[in-house]
Amino acid sequence: MDNNSSHIDYNIDDLPFIGTEKSEEEIQRVTTNEDYTTGEKAIYILEDGTKDQKIAVLSNLNIYAEEKNWNDILDIIIENIKRWEDTIQLAAGIGFNKVIKKIELDYEDFEAIFKATATVLGMWTSEPSEIVDAWNTLFGTLCEKGDRILTQIHFIPFIISQAECVQYYMTRANACILIGNLSKHDFDSKMHELVYKLMQDAFIKVRVKMAENLPKISDYYLPHKEDELYVLLLSLIEDQSSEVMVASIKTFAEIVESLPENINKKLLPNIYKLWFKASNQTIIDELSKNLGKILFGLKPQLKTAEIKTDLLILLNRLITYDRADIRKNVAFNFPGIILALGAVCFKDRLKIGYEALCHDSSSEIRKIISISFHEIVKILNPKVQSLVPLFNEMIKDPVTQWNIISNLHLISQYINLNEQENLYQYLIQLLDIIPNWRNTNTLLSQMNLILPQIPLCIVSALLYPKLVMLMHNANLPIKQHSSKIVVQILKLCPYELRQLLSDKIIQNFAQSAHAADRKIFIDFCIHTKEFCSRNAFKNLYFQPLLQLSKDSAKDIRLKFLIEYPNLRERISSNDIIASNDIDLVLEEMHDDNELIIREMAEKVQGIVTSDGYWKTINSPDALLKDKLLLHTETDLKEGEMPKVIEEETKGKRTTKKANTYTVKSGSNGVKSPNLTRASLHQTQKILSPNAPRVSIFRKDGKRMSLDEKISSPLGSHLSKTLGAGSRKQL
């Protein structure tokens, strides 16, 4: 070998050879057909593979659970599980556990794995081993994941054998889960014996599991086996293990409301003993978590002054506890505590403790106590005035104010907000300093709900200008909330004040330099139907709206056209002048410089039928999809919408423009100097056979003669409409 060489050359004879040469048969045994699918390879290995190959497949069964031939794989495992070696059984237990945790199985697969588990656990009667650990873990996973399925598997002999298993306590613990899933039909006297036996088990884990599953079967003891249930609960409460005592508190909290009064009465002294002598931090923690639920369930037994005094001592101990998480649990349970002890007790005894929690040094505790403030106000009604100072403090505390504000409409039902000095002014000022848009939305939504309670002078002078400013906000939800409240304000205002406030809307939006603001004004005009009549709409908003049809921004003109059907509905059919004006605007937009505007104007005018209904046309245009749907209203049925006069010229649709006429109808006639052929049909209701004679004037102001009337386009139109009666009226 050359030392200067850049690489090293080896002679094959110099290399060591590890292992022995494999025979053709051995090589064939560890080889699978590469054309097989993943599932087919697994089947081949489980049937003919080596031990190591089987272990590799079984340990990763979750890979094969979604294969088409998964059921075949499952059948092979169940068929061979008994005769496989220990290490292969161990791998199967690990693999099944992965399948149960990661894959959603159907009922048949779940039941098959459950029975395989029962088979393996039934084989092992010796001392606990690694295999039993793996299959017991699988057993526990099955019990946790398959509550509903387990109720359908009537495997009573297996449950009994597991509950009576002496060698391994985890088997008995898992049996407790199965017992908890039994139906009342399957819960016979043998099961009663097993439950009592498991409750007295020497292993803590077994007693804990049985305690956790007792609420599921407690109803099976009622009403004929109340004494047995009392004995079980008593054994839990008096258990010396802190883990069992914690489980007993959880169990009792779940079933206390459903227990017969005599059982609760007999258990009450023992519960007191547990509470007052508890020194273990875990027990105190669990007690504070479930205090409200337990006390509310024991409400009938808490009537004597002596018991209430003892409870108040306990509460005072928990409220002043040095651990913040304990005080937090008490704060969370306070509504239940007040419900149990009564509003009178709150005023005399509980208020001091409640105030202590409201002023706690921990911001987390103050936040939790503020979340339930609206519930406590409701419970204490009508004796709620004592909480008003706390309300004023919490609504201005940055930690608690948003929990109070988010429930302000509920609190306002019991606390008179008008009596709280400068509250509304503070909330309006808050809109300027909120950094979070979500909080702004929260406050706006609450202002909308309590708006009728706010004095009108504050609304018009302070709130309204702020909302108009927020309508310019870039955030869409804030815009929407602000606009909604503005509409509500205008609905509440008298006409004179509404006119004054509307001027601000027009100045800030219709006449704004920003196109986005002018778009908002068009949307606002549509929503005016919520607070003003058509006549008021015409007086306040109609002319500024028409100006937007000639807006310099293409998007504004397009927006006007898209919303045209809704805007047209705001014009009364009796107001021919206004109707003619808005119809004329639509005609003028046919000559717009922008092609998209002209096309949209054609589409809008093309959807008007002779009956005045709006309907969709065969166009994929997304702009029309939501807006130009069937619109019907009483006024529209009176022929208020303009008709289109079309003619086909070289395959293209064109719109004729008509001469301008003035129409008078007797003393009640309507004069319209801009009346066009496109809107002549609006006169149909005044040109009935019984209507007064119609006079038509030329542009020079002179009345037409009868011959001129008959030969005019209007005369032709009337002839078609009225038939023989047209000459008489003309």
Side-chain angles (χ1 to χ4, degrees):
M1 181 177 66
D2 186 2
N3 290 332
N4 296 326
S5 175
S6 59
H7 64 278
I8 301 174
D9 295 325
Y10 287 102
N11 190 318
I12 190 67
D13 296 330
D14 297 333
L15 295 174
F17 188 78
I18 301 173
T20 58
E21 187 176 354
K22 302 294 182 183
S23 67
E24 188 69 28
E25 183 182 353
E26 288 175 315
I27 294 173
Q28 188 66 29
R29 283 190 61 202
V30 296
T31 305
T32 59
N33 190 335
E34 291 304 319
D35 293 333
Y36 284 173
T37 64
T38 304
E40 289 170 342
K41 288 178 182 178
I43 291 173
Y44 177 83
I45 289 172
L46 291 175
E47 289 179 339
D48 300 312
T50 64
K51 173 183 174 181
D52 291 340
Q53 287 178 316
K54 290 177 181 176
I55 289 173
V57 169
L58 291 170
S59 299
N60 298 282
L61 277 177
N62 56 298
I63 296 174
Y64 310 99
E66 294 182 351
E67 292 290 323
K68 290 182 179 179
N69 46 8
W70 161 248
N71 290 330
D72 298 330
I73 296 172
L74 196 56
D75 292 341
I76 292 171
I77 297 172
I78 294 170
E79 183 181 342
N80 295 282
I81 194 73
K82 280 188 176 181
R83 61 182 182 81
W84 274 338
E85 298 177 36
D86 297 358
T87 50
I88 301 178
Q89 288 185 2
L90 173 62
I94 294 170
F96 276 139
N97 199 32
K98 291 180 181 178
V99 170
I100 295 296
K101 285 184 176 180
K102 297 180 180 180
I103 309 295
E104 289 292 331
L105 297 176
D106 57 26
Y107 172 78
E108 289 76 12
D109 290 349
F110 192 95
E111 184 178 24
I113 296 175
F114 184 85
K115 289 182 178 178
T117 307
T119 301
V120 174
L121 290 176
M123 290 167 55
W124 292 89
T125 55
S126 58
E127 289 299 315
S129 66
E130 193 177 5
I131 298 174
V132 180
D133 283 338
W135 284 85
N136 262 306
T137 302
L138 171 60
F139 188 17
T141 307
L142 285 166
C143 294
E144 291 172 6
K145 292 282 186 179
D147 283 358
R148 284 181 294 178
I149 298 177
L150 286 172
T151 58
Q152 302 174 47
I153 302 175
H154 300 289
F155 218 56
I156 304 300
F158 171 69
I159 296 174
I160 295 172
S161 67
Q162 298 302 294
E164 294 177 342
C165 176
V166 178
Q167 289 80 13
Y168 200 55
Y169 77 90
M170 278 306 297
T171 302
R172 301 195 298 277
N174 288 330
C176 295
I177 301 174
L178 288 179
I179 291 173
N181 284 289
L182 287 175
S183 65
K184 191 170 185 177
H185 175 74
D186 295 323
F187 205 83
D188 55 13
S189 58
K190 178 63 178 177
M191 288 300 163
H192 284 284
E193 294 174 10
L194 284 178
V195 170
Y196 181 79
K197 185 177 179 181
L198 292 168
M199 202 73 83
Q200 308 299 323
D201 198 280
F203 284 87
I204 293 172
K205 294 288 186 185
V206 179
R207 302 202 300 275
V208 168
K209 277 294 179 192
M210 196 64 254
E212 289 174 353
N213 285 276
L214 188 60
K216 297 179 182 179
I217 58 174
S218 60
D219 288 344
Y220 302 167
Y221 288 85
L222 303 175
H224 304 298
K225 295 185 180 292
E226 290 182 4
D227 293 338
E228 288 185 26
L229 183 58
Y230 167 72
V231 171
L232 293 175
L233 292 170
L234 185 62
S235 66
L236 281 176
I237 293 171
E238 294 181 340
D239 200 293
Q240 298 303 308
S241 166
S242 61
E243 292 182 51
V244 179
M245 292 172 75
V246 167
S248 72
I249 293 172
K250 288 181 182 177
T251 299
F252 190 69
E254 285 188 47
I255 65 175
V256 62
E257 284 191 69
S258 61
L259 289 177
E261 189 172 338
N262 61 323
I263 292 183
N264 284 336
K265 191 173 183 179
K266 288 191 287 185
L267 287 175
L268 192 58
N270 302 89
I271 294 168
Y272 266 31
K273 184 179 177 181
L274 169 65
W275 285 353
F276 284 102
K277 292 189 176 182
S279 57
N280 184 289
Q281 296 296 317
T282 310
I283 297 174
I284 295 173
D285 184 39
E286 197 62 40
L287 169 63
S288 63
K289 285 180 182 176
N290 294 281
L291 190 59
K293 194 183 290 186
I294 292 175
L295 289 179
F296 185 73
L298 292 172
K299 185 177 180 180
Q301 285 75 46
L302 303 179
K303 295 178 180 178
T304 64
E306 183 181 351
I307 291 176
K308 287 187 177 181
T309 302
D310 292 341
L311 280 174
L312 290 168
I313 294 171
L314 171 65
L315 284 171
N316 186 59
R317 173 189 169 193
L318 295 175
I319 289 169
T320 57
Y321 210 79
D322 56 354
R323 279 176 54 192
D325 57 330
I326 300 294
R327 302 197 303 276
K328 184 167 70 174
N329 292 335
V330 176
F332 182 81
N333 281 277
F334 225 93
I337 294 170
I338 298 175
L339 281 172
L341 299 179
V344 175
C345 187
F346 176 85
K347 184 179 179 181
D348 298 337
R349 307 281 191 87
L350 290 175
K351 184 183 174 186
I352 296 173
Y354 185 73
E355 289 176 344
L357 292 172
C358 290
H359 298 115
D360 197 280
S361 58
S362 169
S363 60
E364 194 69 27
I365 293 172
R366 299 203 308 276
K367 189 181 292 185
I368 288 174
I369 207 75
S370 65
I371 290 172
S372 61
F373 184 80
H374 66 286
E375 296 176 355
I376 291 175
V377 166
K378 182 178 180 180
I379 294 169
L380 296 179
N381 185 53
K383 302 175 182 179
V384 75
Q385 291 306 311
S386 59
L387 292 181
V388 171
L390 287 175
F391 167 77
N392 289 324
E393 288 178 19
M394 286 194 283
I395 202 168
K396 295 179 180 179
D397 182 352
V399 174
T400 60
Q401 66 181 180
W402 291 110
N403 291 328
I404 300 297
I405 288 173
S406 61
N407 294 296
L408 200 57
H409 66 293
L410 299 174
I411 296 172
S412 66
Q413 297 175 21
Y414 308 101
I415 294 179
N416 189 345
L417 301 182
N418 291 326
E419 295 178 0
Q420 312 316 311
E421 187 177 358
N422 299 325
L423 172 64
Y424 296 125
Q425 290 88 330
Y426 172 76
L427 293 176
I428 294 169
Q429 290 171 6
L430 202 59
L431 288 169
D432 284 331
I433 59 176
I434 301 174
N436 189 323
W437 69 267
R438 290 184 177 85
N439 288 343
T440 303
N441 278 337
T442 300
L443 180 52
L444 287 173
S445 62
Q446 290 297 315
M447 295 288 271
N448 188 33
L449 293 171
I450 65 171
L451 189 62
Q453 302 178 36
I454 305 177
L456 197 56
C457 58
I458 294 177
V459 170
S460 58
L462 299 176
L463 180 58
Y464 189 83
K466 191 72 65 181
L467 293 170
V468 170
M469 182 189 71
L470 288 174
M471 286 171 69
H472 294 279
N473 196 290
N475 186 277
L476 182 59
I478 292 178
K479 276 184 180 181
Q480 292 172 339
H481 274 303
S482 304
S483 302
K484 190 182 296 184
I485 302 175
V486 165
V487 169
Q488 294 300 318
I489 290 174
L490 294 172
K491 190 187 297 186
L492 295 172
C493 292
Y495 182 79
E496 294 77 12
L497 181 57
R498 186 187 303 159
Q499 187 173 10
L500 180 64
L501 298 179
S502 296
D503 290 341
K504 293 183 179 180
I505 289 285
I506 294 169
Q507 292 168 8
N508 283 275
F509 294 95
Q511 299 169 0
S512 171
H514 300 287
D517 295 335
R518 301 198 294 278
K519 278 186 180 180
I520 291 175
F521 182 75
I522 295 175
D523 289 328
F524 176 80
C525 287
I526 296 169
H527 290 99
T528 54
K529 60 185 176 184
E530 296 183 27
F531 65 85
C532 73
S533 64
R534 286 187 169 97
N535 187 48
F537 172 79
K538 177 195 169 184
N539 295 334
L540 295 174
Y541 308 109
F542 184 59
Q543 289 304 322
L545 176 64
L546 287 184
Q547 293 300 318
L548 295 181
S549 67
K550 302 174 184 178
D551 197 277
S552 58
K554 174 179 68 176
D555 289 349
I556 302 300
R557 303 199 301 277
L558 192 61
K559 173 78 171 175
F560 180 90
L561 279 170
I562 293 172
E563 300 292 354
Y564 183 87
N566 295 320
L567 297 171
R568 186 64 177 76
E569 289 179 16
R570 300 298 298 130
I571 305 301
S572 172
S573 59
N574 296 323
D575 193 340
I576 294 185
I577 295 177
S579 299
N580 179 62
D581 288 344
I582 196 167
D583 293 342
L584 186 61
V585 163
L586 180 60
E587 287 193 4
E588 290 174 349
M589 296 183 84
H590 283 79
D591 299 325
D592 196 276
N593 295 328
E594 295 288 341
L595 176 62
I596 189 173
I597 303 295
R598 295 198 300 272
E599 289 178 348
M600 182 61 71
E602 290 286 332
K603 290 175 183 177
V604 171
Q605 197 158 16
I607 63 172
V608 183
T609 68
S610 59
D611 293 327
Y613 292 101
W614 295 91
K615 63 181 180 179
T616 55
I617 59 175
N618 297 324
S619 168
D621 197 325
L623 294 172
L624 289 175
K625 183 176 179 182
D626 295 323
K627 300 298 180 184
L628 305 183
L629 297 175
L630 183 63
H631 285 269
T632 59
E633 191 179 331
T634 305
D635 285 348
L636 303 185
K637 294 178 182 179
E638 298 174 3
E640 139 180 313
M641 297 300 176
K643 296 180 181 178
V644 170
I645 303 175
E646 329 179 313
E647 67 177 10
E648 297 297 330
T649 307
K650 297 182 182 179
K652 294 182 180 179
R653 178 180 177 281
T654 62
T655 303
K656 286 186 178 179
K657 291 190 177 178
N659 297 322
T660 302
Y661 300 94
T662 301
V663 179
K664 283 187 178 180
S665 176
S667 58
N668 297 322
V670 180
K671 185 175 182 180
S672 178
N674 297 316
L675 190 63
T676 64
R677 268 184 70 182
S679 56
L680 284 176
H681 75 287
Q682 294 170 359
T683 63
Q684 288 180 24
K685 63 177 185 172
I686 62 170
L687 299 183
S688 63
N690 297 322
R693 190 172 62 180
V694 176
S695 297
I696 304 179
F697 296 84
R698 295 194 299 267
K699 289 183 179 180
D700 58 5
K702 295 182 179 180
R703 183 182 282 107
M704 286 186 179
S705 66
L706 179 59
D707 293 335
E708 288 176 321
K709 290 181 188 178
I710 295 173
S711 60
S712 68
L714 176 58
S716 302
H717 175 73
L718 293 176
S719 298
K720 293 178 182 177
T721 305
L722 302 177
S726 61
R727 184 177 181 86
K728 178 181 177 182
Q729 282 196 281
L730 292 171

